Amino acid sequence: GAVVSQHPSRVICKSGTSVKIECRSLDFQATTMFWYRQFPKQSLMLMATSNEGSKATYEQGVEKDKFLINHASLTLSTLTVTSAHPEDSSFYICSARDLVTGETQYFGPGTRLLVL
Amino acid sequence: AQSVTQPDIHITVSEGASLELRCNYSYGATPYLFWYVQSPGQGLQLLLKYFSGDTLVQGIKGFEAEFKRSQSSFNLRKPSVHWSDAAEYFCAVGAQNNDMRFGAGTRLTVKP
């Protein structure tokens, strides 16, 4: 089946620093990737939709200058949390939609971010 | 706008018992419906999906779900639960080339 990887799996950083999270589709091409955020014991909340070669579309309430998304190729999207603060600590999950089939999103294993 | 409701936050069943997790959706057109499972600290694994055709969908790990348009429901079932099924289950609704919306999730506990 389709595999999506995320790197790193967990990261601890100091407040004020920036953190980059990578999302890769390993065995398929994805024109669209999605970034979600999940707080403990809660559901996934869509942050933004990332389209290859164009600007990301952010959900209402998500700061585009704080959560920078780059989708430079059909297999890679990155999320950079800039000037991270403790309230940004969360579980970030990406998903990728197969270019060929288009209907199903395949999820990465998630990245646990802890900002001290 | 599409939305998903999972009425049960937490369900406990005994190992070997049957299971049904409820999911109701709201969507203006024919929806694409999904069930995902998430183990603690892990990403989401697709259990099954419904796009069209037979309303009873078979998935992995012995799960099935039935799409009932009249009830706007897509309930997940398993005839006999195993201890390894303990996890968080998410129902999601979407459409082709659009983003998905997730329910709040149902946490399943399996008693020995």
Side-chain angles (χ1 to χ4, degrees), chain A residues 34-87:
Chain A
F34 303 87
W35 286 95
Y36 295 84
R37 184 173 181 175
Q38 185 181 31
F39 290 105
K41 300 187 186 299
Q42 296 188 26
S43 187
L44 282 73
M45 299 301 295
L46 180 66
M47 297 174 66
T49 301
S50 167
N51 294 297
E52 187 264 338
S54 64
K55 290 183 179 180
T57 303
Y58 290 82
E59 293 298 298
Q60 191 173 8
V62 178
E63 299 175 59
K64 61 182 65 176
D65 293 330
K66 179 162 188 65
F67 298 100
L68 301 179
I69 291 173
N70 183 276
H71 193 160
S73 76
L74 287 174
T75 59
L76 174 64
S77 176
T78 61
L79 168 69
T80 301
V81 183
T82 62
S83 187
H85 288 93
E87 58 264 31

Side-chain angles (χ1 to χ4, degrees), chain A residues 5-17:
Chain A
S5 71
Q6 278 185 245
H7 178 79
S9 58
R10 70 174 55 221
V11 57
I12 300 173
C13 69
K14 292 182 179 180
S15 186
T17 61

